Amino acid sequence: MAENAPVTTDTPAARNVSQAASRINRPLGGRGPEAHAEGKTTIADGVVAKVAGIAAREVAGVYALGGGGARAFGAIRDAINATDLTQGVKVEVGETQAAADVTVVIEYGAQIQEVADQVRDRVAGAIERFVGLDVVEVNVDVNDVHVPGDDDHDDDESRVH
């Protein structure tokens, strides 16, 4: 008999349900690719910086990101498997646009302008593709040139025994 009783939402339990939980009961305007649920997406600056850092590291001719001090701390983080993918990257993020500043160290022998242009293109493309923001500017600061052997002292035989 209770099985056929009408369902009522005016029960003490229903009155205690928060407003946030009841948002799921609103009907969508339509289904399919053009239907969008209401709400807001916020993307943290760190997410955009990480996307930019990963994209910049993928460019051939980029040895590292960041200035000398940041690279020193980065080497320590790398040693304990805590790589900072945002090292050398600063971003400004608005509601629909982003700008990035990337500091790079270029491998000796690579054409600096070409590598910088590729970094700019890769970073802008990655932010637009993965984050969905229009990129208004990507500044590339070439901070240093890495010469093979400069910091590869592990293979050097000590002169003093």
Side-chain angles (χ1 to χ4, degrees):
M1 217 153 72
E3 294 172 324
N4 296 333
V7 176
T8 178
T9 57
D10 191 28
T11 64
R15 284 191 295 268
N16 289 333
V17 173
S18 71
Q19 183 63 28
S22 66
R23 291 186 298 175
I24 61 172
N25 296 327
R26 290 187 292 187
L28 288 175
R31 300 265 180 217
E34 66 280 345
H36 296 285
E38 293 180 32
K40 180 180 180 181
T41 301
T42 303
I43 301 169
D45 292 6
V47 171
V48 179
K50 188 178 281 190
V51 167
I54 292 169
R57 282 176 174 79
E58 292 175 346
V59 174
V62 171
Y63 176 74
L65 269 59
R71 289 196 321 269
F73 284 119
I76 294 168
R77 283 190 297 268
D78 289 345
I80 60 170
N81 285 335
T83 302
D84 179 9
L85 297 174
T86 65
Q87 175 181 306
V89 179
K90 293 181 183 167
V91 295
E92 292 179 46
V93 180
E95 288 186 26
T96 61
Q97 296 179 327
D101 298 319
V102 183
T103 302
V104 297
V105 177
I106 305 290
E107 289 279 358
Y108 178 78
Q111 294 182 357
I112 293 174
Q113 285 291 14
E114 187 176 304
V115 172
D117 289 343
Q118 290 176 9
V119 167
R120 190 174 291 108
D121 291 344
R122 281 272 180 97
V123 167
I127 292 172
E128 288 173 354
R129 190 171 45 257
F130 296 123
V131 184
L133 297 172
D134 292 324
V135 177
V136 295
E137 184 176 71
V138 176
N139 296 311
V140 178
D141 177 26
V142 179
N143 175 283
D144 198 0
V145 174
H146 176 258
V147 179
D150 270 358
D151 49 22
D152 301 332
H153 300 295
D154 296 338
D155 298 333
D156 295 344
E157 191 173 311
S158 176
R159 297 187 309 173
V160 180
H161 295 280

